[in-house]
């Protein structure tokens, strides 16, 4: 099988005027459109990153911290109520153990 339209690269002759035309056309390219395209991609990725951080904050950190500090406030309020209502003194013997228990309890149901 023979190819009907074959090209012979030896027949192509390029003159210096053609090179000048190519270089002048390359210098007149609009690079502002290229920069704005990259800028919009970077801006889009930045917005996606901000959205992911916002989701992490609203779905994980805020509920966990609210639960932890809510329990801490409830324990403090219950101790104050018990001291006021009944002649009982509530003391926390180990603050580190109290904090660790509160963190584990808050994370248990997440």
């Amino acid at each position: 099988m023979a190819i009907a339209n074959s090209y012979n690269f030896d027949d192509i002759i390029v003159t210096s005027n053609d090179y000048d035309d190519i270089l002048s056309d390359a210098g007149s390219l609009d690079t502002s459109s290229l920069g704005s395209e990259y800028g919009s991609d970077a801006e889009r990725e930045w917005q996606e990153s901000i959205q992911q951080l916002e989701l992490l904050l609203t779905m994980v950190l805020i509920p966990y911290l609210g639960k932890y500090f809510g329990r801490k406030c409830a324990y403090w309020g219950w101790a104050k109520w018990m001291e006021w209502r009944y002649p009982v003194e509530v003391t926390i013997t180990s603050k580190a153990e109290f904090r660790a228990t509160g963190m584990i309890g808050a994370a248990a149901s997440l």
Side-chain angles (χ1 to χ4, degrees), residues 18-76:
D18 292 337
Y19 285 124
D20 293 338
D21 292 340
I22 292 171
L23 292 176
S24 66
D25 289 342
S28 66
L29 286 176
D30 185 21
T31 57
S32 63
S33 64
L34 294 175
S36 66
E37 180 179 321
Y38 290 121
S40 64
D41 288 343
E43 185 176 330
R44 183 176 43 81
E45 287 184 19
W46 174 256
Q47 292 299 329
E48 287 176 4
S49 297
I50 295 295
Q51 186 179 13
Q52 288 174 355
L53 286 173
E54 183 179 311
L55 284 173
L56 175 72
L57 200 76
T58 58
M59 296 294 192
V60 177
L61 292 177
I62 299 289
Y64 177 76
L65 292 174
K67 194 171 184 182
Y68 173 75
F69 287 115
R71 286 181 184 214
K72 197 169 186 174
C73 180
Y75 290 143
W76 177 82

Side-chain angles (χ1 to χ4, degrees), residues 69-108:
F69 287 115
R71 286 181 184 214
K72 197 169 186 174
C73 180
Y75 290 143
W76 177 82
W78 183 252
K80 293 298 177 187
W81 169 259
M82 293 299 287
E83 287 176 0
W84 176 77
R85 181 80 169 125
Y86 303 105
V88 175
E89 185 177 334
V90 178
T91 57
I92 298 170
T93 56
S94 173
K95 287 200 179 252
E97 186 177 330
F98 178 73
R99 285 186 182 139
T101 304
M103 282 193 260
I104 293 170

